[in-house]
Amino acid sequence: MGKVCAADALLQQLVNTEVPTMSEPPRSHVRAFIKNIGQQLRTGVATFESIGHAPVAGGDDVVAAYIRGLKDRIPDIKDADSYVRGSAPMMVAGSNLPLLYVSTAIRSLAPKGPDLPSLISRNTALAQAYQAAQPCQGRLPLKAHSPTPTPSG
């Protein structure tokens, strides 16, 4: 439990990264920033992959959901990097498009599938382990985004 909470805490730091979407730093700085975000995503994937088999039913699914959520954002970051390498203007309507894209990508980071709060709510022993684990204390783990309802016709 502590490993998942520690990895979640690192992910939350990434989600809360300040991205300067209203400024126009040199392309080389934007590209370095984007590459750093990409590396943090890959490190997050590796961190969750290294957690190993969960001793609690559903735990492996939660870890896999974090990994899917991280991997789903990697192409977005690669797209932003491709944009910066091109010659199109970075500033459009007062926003730095590649950085806005990065900001949107990291703000939407979340487990893709079952999340830790739902697993804890279904398992009393796990809830107790969560409360006892030092890295989990005082933290609310990231929740999976609710799927957007599709309009019925």
Side-chain angles (χ1 to χ4, degrees), residues 11 45 48 58-72 109-116 118 142-145:
L11 190 56
V45 168
F48 278 99
D60 290 337
D61 293 335
V62 168
V63 170
Y66 273 104
I67 292 169
R68 278 191 302 276
L70 285 158
K71 285 183 175 180
D72 278 0
L109 270 171
K112 188 170 185 179
D115 59 22
L116 190 54
S118 65
L142 288 175
K143 294 178 72 169
H145 296 297

Side-chain angles (χ1 to χ4, degrees), residues 70-151:
L70 285 158
K71 285 183 175 180
D72 278 0
R73 300 284 63 94
I74 291 173
D76 297 336
I77 303 307
K78 286 181 180 178
D79 289 346
D81 185 55
S82 293
Y83 188 92
V84 172
R85 286 190 320 231
S87 60
M90 290 195 304
M91 295 301 287
V92 175
S95 293
N96 187 310
L97 286 184
L99 291 178
L100 183 61
Y101 201 53
V102 168
S103 177
T104 301
I106 63 175
R107 296 251 185 272
S108 66
L109 270 171
K112 188 170 185 179
D115 59 22
L116 190 54
S118 65
L119 183 62
I120 292 168
S121 71
R122 295 188 315 262
N123 186 318
T124 306
L126 187 59
Q128 290 171 346
Y130 176 82
Q131 291 177 354
Q134 183 63 34
C136 302
Q137 294 189 3
R139 303 194 71 79
L140 295 174
L142 288 175
K143 294 178 72 169
H145 296 297
S146 300
T148 304
T150 54

